[in-house]
Amino acid sequence: MNENCRFFLRFSLLMLLAMTAQSDKNASRCDENGGFCVPKDSCDSGSGNLYCDDENEVCCLYDPFPTTEGPPGPYCNATIDCRRAGGFCSQTCPVWTKPDPNLCENDCNCCIEIVCNQTQECQDAYGYCTNPALCYEKIIPEWCDGEDCVCCAPVCPPTPSQECQDAYGYCTSPDSCYEKIVPEECGGEDCVCCAPVCPPTPTQECQDAYGYCTTPDNCYEKIVPVGCGGEDCVCCAPACPPTQTCQDAYGYCTKPDDCYEKIIPEGCGGEDCVCCAPVCPPTQTCQDAYGYCTKPENCFEKIVPEGCDGEDCVCCAPVCPPTKGCQEANGYCTSSDNCYYGKIIPEECDGENCVCCVLNWIPYSARNRKGVL
């Protein structure tokens, strides 16, 4: 056998070994076996046989999601089938999910989010489609698509009459109104128009004093006479109103002894008042980047050039700035490497390697409702 043949055989053998090693590595990847890559010190039942990209992480073989209140029970092992179905393994599933006992091991269920599609009929009733357990208003069945879905609509539709709108009121039940009731101005059974005692229509004099309309008992500042309409209503204004100069400097009005920043002359009205403004006011560029002004040595994020006025000041802004879409999903923008326990929503945040991280994976319609978990 000549030298060329030997070289070719050696090269083919090395390539075959490399391909086999890569295939074994992919087969033993953590995410391909239903696990989660997390920091080593945050998992007490990690597997050393499954591969994570980061050497400081370990493959955790249970779902790191909270299950029920009270003392924690045994963990439920994550499965790739449950993750592919968009769920997580748990002994008890929250009300916004549907349990599937066939996708998880032992006595655990795969908790899959219930998806309810909005319909025009429900939308016309000012409602939204959701699970019945998440509706605390009027339930209208058979108006939504999807299993275990109902239309959740307000008891008093938000369609006040012109008279109610002119009184700056809204429609609600009598028990929920703590202001003035305007009778017979709302549709719906047992609904009334609830309007403020002092309508928010201050005179120009009250507006110039930066005041608002309220009753005398609720005003703890300066009362401007003849500033509001309505019976027993007064214009309540700050004792030290700011001028446009103070506002342009991002300042506020206070007593001289309470200001520890820069004082802007003639920035406030009122006796013994000064305009207290930051030494380094931010520019619009800095505000658009969700940044703040500080000393260079105090910034551990991204520095935005020309973001602040003032000497020795820089605009310090987050590397992954927040977005409206991520906030509506109840998430936060961060590096993809920092989202260990949440659901990642890609392409929802700006910035290199930035993702929207939604912790605990609770749908937006279910959050902040009593008794959800």
Side-chain angles (χ1 to χ4, degrees):
M1 184 181 295
N2 59 33
E3 191 64 29
N4 290 335
C5 289
R6 291 194 185 92
F7 173 79
F8 179 76
L9 286 174
R10 289 195 192 98
F11 179 77
S12 299
L13 181 60
L14 289 172
M15 289 296 295
L16 181 60
L17 291 173
M19 292 173 63
T20 302
Q22 183 63 37
S23 176
D24 291 341
K25 190 176 184 180
N26 289 336
S28 62
R29 282 186 61 87
C30 180
D31 54 359
E32 291 296 328
N33 288 272
F36 295 83
C37 288
V38 298
K40 289 181 178 179
D41 58 356
S42 63
C43 179
D44 55 7
S45 62
S47 170
N49 298 322
L50 297 178
Y51 170 73
C52 287
D53 292 326
D54 193 333
E55 62 180 11
N56 295 318
E57 293 180 336
V58 66
C59 183
C60 219
L61 292 180
Y62 61 84
D63 271 325
F65 294 98
T67 54
T68 59
E69 296 181 358
Y75 290 111
C76 289
N77 290 335
T79 65
I80 191 64
D81 291 337
C82 183
R83 291 196 65 185
R84 285 173 177 166
F88 59 92
C89 295
S90 174
Q91 291 181 325
T92 305
C93 290
V95 294
W96 46 268
T97 64
K98 179 180 179 180
D100 188 335
N102 300 318
L103 299 180
C104 293
E105 301 169 349
N106 302 325
D107 295 328
C108 297
N109 293 302
C110 180
C111 305
I112 304 172
E113 179 184 343
I114 297 173
V115 178
C116 297
N117 299 319
Q118 180 74 316
T119 62
Q120 188 62 46
E121 195 173 17
C122 184
Q123 187 172 328
D124 292 342
Y126 302 96
Y128 59 94
C129 294
T130 185
N131 184 278
L134 300 179
C135 181
Y136 301 92
E137 299 182 271
K138 181 173 64 174
I139 292 179
I140 306 175
E142 300 177 0
W143 274 22
C144 291
D145 298 332
E147 189 177 355
D148 296 327
C149 295
V150 297
C151 177
C152 189
V155 177
C156 297
T159 52
S161 64
Q162 190 60 49
E163 290 80 1
C164 187
Q165 294 181 48
D166 292 342
Y168 302 94
Y170 60 95
C171 294
T172 186
S173 63
D175 297 338
S176 300
C177 181
Y178 301 96
E179 298 185 271
K180 181 176 65 175
I181 291 179
V182 181
E184 300 178 0
E185 298 298 348
C186 286
E189 186 178 352
D190 197 28
C191 296
V192 296
C193 173
C194 189
V197 177
C198 297
T201 52
T203 63
Q204 190 61 48
E205 182 184 10
C206 185
Q207 293 181 48
D208 293 341
Y210 301 93
Y212 59 95
C213 295
T214 186
T215 58
D217 296 340
N218 291 326
C219 181
Y220 302 95
E221 298 184 272
K222 181 177 67 174
I223 292 179
V224 179
V226 198
C228 291
E231 187 178 354
D232 195 29
C233 296
V234 296
C235 173
C236 190
C240 299
T243 64
Q244 190 62 45
T245 303
C246 186
Q247 295 179 37
D248 292 342
Y250 302 95
Y252 60 94
C253 294
T254 185
K255 300 296 181 183
D257 295 340
D258 294 331
C259 180
Y260 300 96
E261 298 185 271
K262 180 174 63 174
I263 292 179
I264 306 294
E266 301 179 358
C268 295
E271 186 177 353
D272 196 28
C273 298
V274 296
C275 174
C276 192
V279 178
C280 301
T283 64
Q284 190 61 46
T285 303
C286 187
Q287 294 180 56
D288 292 342
Y290 300 92
Y292 60 95
C293 294
T294 185
K295 300 294 182 183
E297 60 269 20
N298 293 333
C299 181
F300 302 96
E301 298 185 273
K302 180 177 67 174
I303 292 179
V304 179
E306 301 178 359
C308 296
D309 296 329
E311 188 176 350
D312 196 28
C313 297
V314 295
C315 173
C316 192
V319 177
C320 299
T323 63
K324 182 180 179 181
C326 187
Q327 290 174 344
E328 289 178 346
N330 240 13
Y332 63 97
C333 292
T334 185
S335 168
S336 59
D337 300 332
N338 292 330
C339 186
Y340 295 115
Y341 303 116
K343 176 183 177 183
I344 290 179
I345 304 178
E347 300 179 1
E348 196 62 68
C349 293
D350 301 326
E352 186 177 355
N353 198 32
C354 294
V355 296
C356 179
C357 186
V358 183
L359 291 179
N360 293 344
W361 197 357
I362 301 177
Y364 179 67
S365 61
R367 289 183 179 267
N368 300 324
R369 294 180 181 272
K370 212 169 180 182
V372 168
L373 294 175

